[in-house]
Amino acid sequence: TLGMWAFLATELLFFGGNSIISEVVAHGDTLPPGGSKTFGLKAKYFLDAPDYYLLLRLKKNDSIVAEYTQYYLPPKKLNLQKPQITYTLGKDYIELKTDRFAYGVRLDVPDGVELEDNYFHLHSVGPKRIKFRSAVPLEDIRKTIRIRSLVDTY
């Protein structure tokens, strides 16, 4: 169970990283199983939305339990910009940060590196930490890692 410290954070964001609207269903609110809540997002945001997306995050004790990203147009019609993605390589993790939304991020790492996750969306609202297992030396990973997103394909 999620316990009393779980909450749902909703945010409508521009692909450039700025927030338009954000709302939280706090731990004091109750939603029964199968229940619903209406958020104050206006229909005008979803009619023709090439510049923004909706981010839903279920959090428990400051950890993200689940995340969902909703777009209102197909990827080829979104006004995605090239993100500047940086990373920090730890003993058993790679932490990624971006200056703007990055759609479909993929890490190319040497054979023998097993990533916990390797195709995801990266948001400017916080870093993403990917755990990995590897017998490959960290310096070899650092020399060969490549980070790409959808905009790198066109």
Side-chain angles (χ1 to χ4, degrees):
T1 67
L2 293 174
M4 62 184 244
W5 297 109
F7 63 92
L8 178 66
T10 64
E11 196 162 8
L12 188 65
L13 296 153
F14 281 108
F15 287 122
N18 297 332
S19 178
I20 300 169
I21 296 173
S22 100
E23 292 191 32
V24 172
V25 176
H27 63 273
D29 295 339
T30 58
L31 288 176
S36 65
K37 175 174 173 44
T38 302
F39 295 96
L41 301 175
K42 308 276 188 256
K44 69 178 183 176
Y45 291 118
F46 308 109
L47 297 178
D48 183 23
D51 298 312
Y52 41 85
Y53 66 101
L54 183 65
L55 174 61
L56 302 170
R57 285 183 164 166
L58 183 62
K59 295 182 176 184
K60 179 182 178 186
N61 300 328
D62 289 330
S63 295
I64 297 170
V65 176
E67 184 174 88
Y68 177 73
T69 307
Q70 176 66 51
Y71 314 97
Y72 299 96
L73 293 171
K76 67 181 180 179
K77 293 189 176 187
L78 299 175
N79 291 333
L80 299 171
Q81 302 165 4
K82 178 132 177 89
Q84 297 298 314
I85 300 173
T86 58
Y87 73 93
T88 302
L89 185 62
K91 183 178 85 171
D92 63 349
Y93 69 88
I94 301 169
E95 187 171 274
L96 301 158
K97 294 181 183 177
T98 183
D99 64 334
R100 65 188 66 248
F101 177 75
Y103 188 110
V105 174
R106 184 180 114 200
L107 306 175
D108 292 329
V109 293
D111 288 341
V113 177
E114 185 179 327
L115 299 169
E116 179 183 71
D117 194 1
N118 194 18
Y119 187 81
F120 49 86
H121 306 309
L122 189 59
H123 308 279
S124 63
V125 294
K128 180 167 181 76
R129 186 173 278 205
I130 308 295
K131 292 182 180 182
F132 68 85
R133 288 187 297 210
S134 175
V136 177
L138 288 178
E139 194 54 37
D140 290 352
I141 297 171
R142 186 174 281 110
K143 287 178 185 176
T144 59
I145 191 171
R146 284 188 65 198
I147 303 168
R148 296 191 255 185
S149 69
L150 179 67
V151 297
D152 295 313
T153 65
Y154 53 87

